[in-house]
Amino acid sequence: MIRLLLLALLTLPAVAAQAQPTVLHNATIYTVDPAQPTAEALAFDGGQILAVGSEADVLAAYPDARRLDAEGRTVVPGLIDAHAHLMNLGASLLQADLVGTVSKADVVERLQRFALTLPDSAWVTGRGWDQNDWGGDGAFPTAADLDAAFPDRPVWIRRIDGHAAWANSAALALVDSLDAMPDPEGGRIVRDADGRPTGVFVDAAMPLVGGLIPPPTEVERQLRMERALAETARYGLTGVHEAGVDLPTISLYLAAADVGQFPIRLYAMIGGAGETLDHFCETGPLVDYAGRLTVRSVKLYMDGALGSRGAALLEDYSDDPGNAGLLVTPPDAFGGIVERAMRCDLQVNTHAIGDRANRIVLDTYERAIAATGGGPGRHRIEHAQIVVTPDDIARFAPLGIIASMQPTHATSDMPWAEARVGPARIEGGYAWRTFLDSGARLALGSDFPVEQVSPLLGFYAAITRQDAEQRPDGGWFPDQRLTRAEALRGFTLDAAYAAFMEDAVGSLEPGKRADFVVLSRDIMTVPAPEILETDVVATFLDGAPIYGGL
């Protein structure tokens, strides 16, 4: 039935042209076009850019155009988040927000407030806790920490990175024979000294409890989408690469696009092997549906996350001897999926954080490209984050592999990342400058809702290697900073390239789509801390405001 719905929706609606061209003027425009890096005005019609240049020249060329006065503000191309989770963002906006909690007691207090808004029978869910922010030794919490406040109703709350979750005893009691259950492949049930589950589940072990939560209704799914799209537009995003979707979610997006209620250019990655991959291998990729949705890639997992000690390392964790992380997908099985995806003309985008995981992915890509021709190319490693060895970094550019990285991960992780891997290995972590100087292309994103949605936070982190309080002085391993032009390109043209869209979006040039953002400050010249005080005045998609306005 889902397949029939997808086929029924493959008729492109006509795009109505505007009655007359529009000129945006009195602006400082950063085009990300090497041939003309800055401008004062741009003209567009029917969602397409007609001209970019000086105010005098553009107004003279279009004297009868409708005018939008930017009042001296800054304009940049529509910002693109190259790695995010749109529907997870929508879900997080409808559950307890645990980001920034400073203790277990703080978590419990927020959950109690949130529970008051729920029916008595509903699970209490949330996301955003991080035990590394609570002081002490960074040990995981336990079910007992939740039981006094929630003795009877189940609680299930995901860690900020989405790679671990914490349950209370009422939730654990719903899993048959949990005490005797072995760890699933690619996952870990955290246990106490006597071997009993403590209440925390890592990676592939999470569905043991999380899979018992009733699925959202169609009304709830629609609301999640609407909330997420309102949030992305508010922060200047005209494009998002969603790292993992299924057929029902794609059908939801197609239906929204058909009625003009999908204000984003979404590059959707198929979530692993299964029904969705089978469908697109049979029907072929979906490219630029209604100018809004493309499905031509698959998202795979090789390891977990650093914060939950699931990132797969070549050597043990410095703060957890005997633990070298997790391989979420067995390498042999991974190789088969990669080759199949490439033969189906799909880009392959693999989550790999630890050095061991990155090496396995690079080795697998290299073999699969040789065996298949590589399909569409531009294959990606998502995160490429921790202690990737210099020899492996040097392999990205020759293989044409894109490093899809998230600057705010570095500034969020820096208080504890060195403890995980030690002072020597951490120098190879979050190595944006090293990647760029090696010739690799960087596509920048946030991984929201793991991090906050605003791409300006990522831009700031990329150029400073500091948190919002300007810590540490001079930046964390400042030799890995990017220039402002490089950071802007990573959130625009290079992110567009990573989605095969560089001919349509990512820079402000004649013939491209009129996707642009109006900012309250000039992020290319103001002191770095003022970037965090910059507001999105308006977000335009195809020349029409989807947030704010002028």
Side-chain angles (χ1 to χ4, degrees):
M1 181 174 180
I2 291 171
R3 181 171 297 167
L4 291 175
L5 175 58
L6 280 168
L7 294 174
L9 291 171
L10 293 181
T11 302
L12 296 180
V15 177
Q18 298 177 5
Q20 63 183 133
T22 299
V23 170
L24 173 74
H25 66 103
N26 189 15
T28 298
I29 302 174
Y30 294 95
T31 66
V32 197
D33 174 8
Q36 186 179 26
T38 60
E40 298 171 332
L42 63 86
F44 56 93
D45 185 22
Q48 186 177 61
I49 297 173
L50 303 173
V52 181
S54 70
E55 181 165 321
D57 288 348
V58 175
L59 288 175
Y62 298 93
D64 299 324
R66 184 173 70 98
R67 298 188 182 186
L68 288 177
D69 186 349
E71 300 179 350
R73 298 185 180 100
T74 294
V75 175
V76 298
L79 297 167
I80 302 169
D81 192 313
H83 183 107
H85 303 274
L86 191 74
M87 288 298 279
N88 285 353
L89 171 64
S92 72
L93 294 171
L94 296 174
Q95 55 185 295
D97 179 7
L98 306 177
V99 175
T101 46
V102 297
S103 65
K104 288 180 275 191
D106 190 10
V107 170
V108 169
E109 182 180 348
R110 291 200 200 183
L111 291 174
Q112 287 175 314
R113 289 200 303 267
F114 177 70
L116 295 175
T117 69
L118 302 173
D120 291 342
S121 60
W123 285 60
V124 179
T125 61
R127 179 167 178 162
W129 61 272
D130 185 348
Q131 81 283 2
N132 297 302
D133 294 340
W134 300 342
D137 60 2
F140 277 133
T142 69
D145 297 315
L146 299 170
D147 289 346
F150 299 98
D152 302 314
R153 65 190 305 179
V155 176
W156 179 250
I157 49 178
R158 293 169 69 97
R159 194 179 181 278
I160 191 166
D161 58 15
H163 286 267
W166 173 18
N168 69 341
S169 294
L172 299 182
L174 299 175
V175 183
D176 293 335
S177 305
L178 181 60
D179 285 2
M181 191 176 294
D183 288 354
E185 186 172 31
R188 179 162 58 99
I189 303 169
V190 179
R191 304 173 192 272
D192 62 19
D194 296 321
R196 292 188 295 265
T198 64
V200 171
F201 299 77
V202 179
D203 287 312
M206 292 165 59
L208 298 175
V209 178
L212 301 176
I213 300 174
T217 66
E218 285 304 306
V219 171
E220 289 169 337
R221 285 164 44 78
Q222 181 75 24
L223 184 58
R224 288 179 180 184
M225 180 186 71
E226 292 172 358
R227 292 280 183 91
L229 291 173
E231 195 80 350
T232 53
R234 183 164 74 95
Y235 285 108
L237 288 170
T238 58
V240 165
H241 302 180
E242 184 164 19
V245 296
D246 56 14
L247 280 173
T249 301
I250 293 168
S251 295
L252 180 69
Y253 293 164
L254 289 167
D258 273 345
V259 295
Q261 299 297 318
F262 199 63
I264 198 78
R265 296 195 199 281
L266 192 83
Y267 187 73
M269 308 177 201
I270 296 161
E275 180 186 15
T276 310
L277 179 59
D278 293 345
H279 171 84
F280 285 99
C281 276
E282 180 180 332
T283 65
L286 176 67
V287 179
D288 201 28
Y289 179 85
R292 292 293 182 268
L293 179 64
T294 292
V295 186
R296 62 179 304 179
S297 63
V298 60
K299 163 71 181 304
L300 304 175
Y301 282 90
M302 181 45 60
D303 65 349
L306 187 71
S308 50
R309 298 183 181 86
L313 305 180
L314 293 169
E315 299 179 5
D316 289 353
Y317 281 85
S318 297
D319 61 354
D320 191 13
N323 176 19
L326 296 168
L327 293 179
V328 174
T329 308
D332 288 346
F334 175 71
I337 300 168
V338 169
E339 285 201 18
R340 183 184 181 213
M342 289 184 184
R343 295 187 192 280
C344 293
D345 202 32
L346 295 171
Q347 179 194 54
V348 182
N349 305 334
T350 305
H351 167 118
I353 289 181
D355 52 3
R356 183 185 178 205
N358 275 272
R359 181 167 296 173
I360 291 171
V361 174
L362 287 167
D363 290 346
T364 305
Y365 282 180
E366 188 169 23
R367 289 193 297 268
I369 291 169
T372 69
R378 302 191 191 185
H379 305 295
R380 299 164 43 165
I381 291 184
E382 306 298 314
H383 310 307
Q385 192 164 288
I386 298 299
V387 298
V388 182
T389 66
D391 287 347
D392 284 335
I393 289 175
R395 300 171 65 190
F396 277 69
L399 288 171
I401 307 303
I402 297 166
S404 173
M405 305 180 79
Q406 301 75 45
T408 49
H409 277 338
T411 51
S412 292
D413 297 356
M414 63 186 180
W416 48 264
E418 184 172 333
R420 290 283 190 275
V421 297
R425 288 189 291 178
I426 194 60
E427 293 186 14
Y430 315 86
W432 317 318
R433 167 59 53 202
T434 304
F435 272 101
L436 204 59
D437 288 349
S438 76
R441 195 179 295 252
L442 290 182
L444 301 181
S446 69
D447 203 9
F448 71 67
V450 175
E451 303 284 353
Q452 296 183 56
V453 175
S454 173
L456 295 183
L457 298 178
F459 180 87
Y460 168 83
I463 68 169
T464 65
R465 304 275 293 195
Q466 293 177 315
D467 64 16
E469 285 71 43
Q470 301 172 53
R471 298 175 300 197
D473 290 343
W476 188 57
F477 296 102
D479 58 324
Q480 293 295 340
R481 289 179 298 198
L482 301 179
T483 68
R484 297 190 194 213
E486 290 165 345
L488 182 60
R489 185 180 174 101
F491 279 106
T492 54
L493 190 58
D494 283 344
Y497 176 88
F500 305 90
M501 294 182 183
E502 74 277 10
D503 291 336
V505 296
S507 60
L508 299 175
E509 304 177 55
K512 288 193 171 185
R513 306 310 301 170
D515 296 357
F516 57 88
V517 182
V518 183
L519 302 173
S520 65
R521 303 184 189 218
D522 186 341
I523 62 171
M524 304 301 283
T525 62
V526 297
E530 291 189 25
I531 295 168
L532 301 178
E533 300 170 8
T534 301
D535 295 321
V536 172
V537 176
T539 306
F540 284 76
L541 182 69
D542 274 333
I546 58 173
Y547 171 78
L550 295 174

